[in-house]
Every structure is written in structure tokens, then in C-alpha cells.
């Protein structure tokens, strides 16, 4: 599935970072590490989109790879792993496109509400 309709990469990356942090805060307990994980995903998303990547699976893999590379920053306080976040990113992006997700996550956190 292609992301070409999501044109403002900075805005979408920021929204995704907030959604990831909100999801993790609700799923576990509010923690600063959740915002840091979201920010990492944002950076990965923006970089990938600016490099011309438009496929959800490519973005998901980029997010996971970047998180795994730096996982020692998150491992102590995170209750999830990089693939949990990557699966959430995939579901989040499908939701943003108005498509049905794989259902890997119970609910996508809407940072606009």
C-alpha cells in the first residue's frame, strides 16, 4: 500500500510520534521513553519518505531497523520491542489511509482527539 497521499512528511511524522507515545502511555504507564521511541520513529519516517519510500512495509522496516540499532537507549524502560512499534506504525499508516489494518494493535491512538 502506498503513502503518496500523505504529502506533509513533517506533519505526519509528528502526528505518528504522538500516536506512538499515546498508545504506549495507555497500554502501559506514561513514560518519557515513549516520547523518545515516537521521536525515533518520526525521524525514520521523515527520512524514508524524503528518500522516496512510499510503501508501508518499507517504512515499517526502516522504523524497526533504526530502533533496533539504538535499542540500548530504550531497553531498560520500554515494555515493548522494536517490532511491536513497527507493527503499530504499519497499522497507524493503514488507518491514516482509511484502510483496514492487520489488527496487530487493539486500537490506534488518535493524537488529534
Amino acid at each position: 500500500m502506498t503513502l503518496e497521499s500523505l504529502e506533509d512528511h513533517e506533519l505526519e511524522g509528528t502526528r505518528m510520534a504522538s500516536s506512538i507515545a499515546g498508545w504506549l502511555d495507555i497500554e502501559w504507564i506514561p513514560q518519557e521513553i515513549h516520547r523518545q521511541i515516537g521521536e525515533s520513529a518520526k525521524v525514520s519516517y521523515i527520512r524514508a519518505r524524503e528518500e522516496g519510500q512510499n510503501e508501508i512495509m518499507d517504512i515499517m522496516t526502516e522504523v524497526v531497523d533504526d530502533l533496533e540499532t539504538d535499542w540500548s537507549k530504550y531497553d531498560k524502560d520500554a515494555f515493548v520491542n522494536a517490532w511491536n512499534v513497527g507493527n503499530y506504525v504499519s497499522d497507524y499508516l493503514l488507518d491514516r489511509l482509511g484502510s483496514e489494518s492487520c489488527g496487530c494493535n487493539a486500537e490506534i491512538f488518535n493524537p488529534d482527539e
Side-chain angles (χ1 to χ4, degrees):
M1 180 143 281
T2 182
L3 299 170
E4 291 171 353
S5 65
L6 301 177
E7 297 175 353
D8 188 334
H9 307 323
E10 181 71 33
L11 178 65
E12 197 58 49
T14 298
R15 190 177 188 285
M16 183 176 69
S18 295
S19 181
I20 291 168
W23 159 63
L24 291 170
D25 284 351
I26 289 169
E27 187 74 19
W28 302 99
I29 59 171
Q31 295 189 94
E32 175 59 28
I33 200 72
H34 298 158
R35 272 156 284 302
Q36 294 170 14
I37 290 170
E39 283 301 310
S40 174
K42 172 186 171 179
V43 169
S44 301
Y45 174 83
I46 292 171
R47 185 183 65 247
R49 293 303 309 279
E50 288 177 348
E51 291 174 354
Q53 294 185 34
N54 289 315
E55 297 293 324
I56 289 176
M57 294 307 293
D58 293 336
I59 303 295
M60 179 186 85
T61 302
E62 190 81 21
V63 168
V64 170
D65 288 348
D66 290 348
L67 282 169
E68 284 185 333
T69 298
D70 293 329
W71 196 250
S72 62
K73 295 179 187 177
Y74 314 111
D75 191 40
K76 181 180 175 198
D77 295 319
F79 295 107
V80 295
N81 63 40
W83 281 103
N84 297 126
V85 177
N87 285 333
Y88 183 85
V89 166
S90 175
D91 281 356
Y92 168 85
L93 292 171
L94 285 167
D95 184 69
R96 291 291 289 149
L97 295 173
S99 297
E100 188 173 316
S101 74
C102 70
C104 298
N105 295 286
E107 187 175 327
I108 300 300
F109 177 80
N110 184 346
D112 300 328
E113 293 181 349

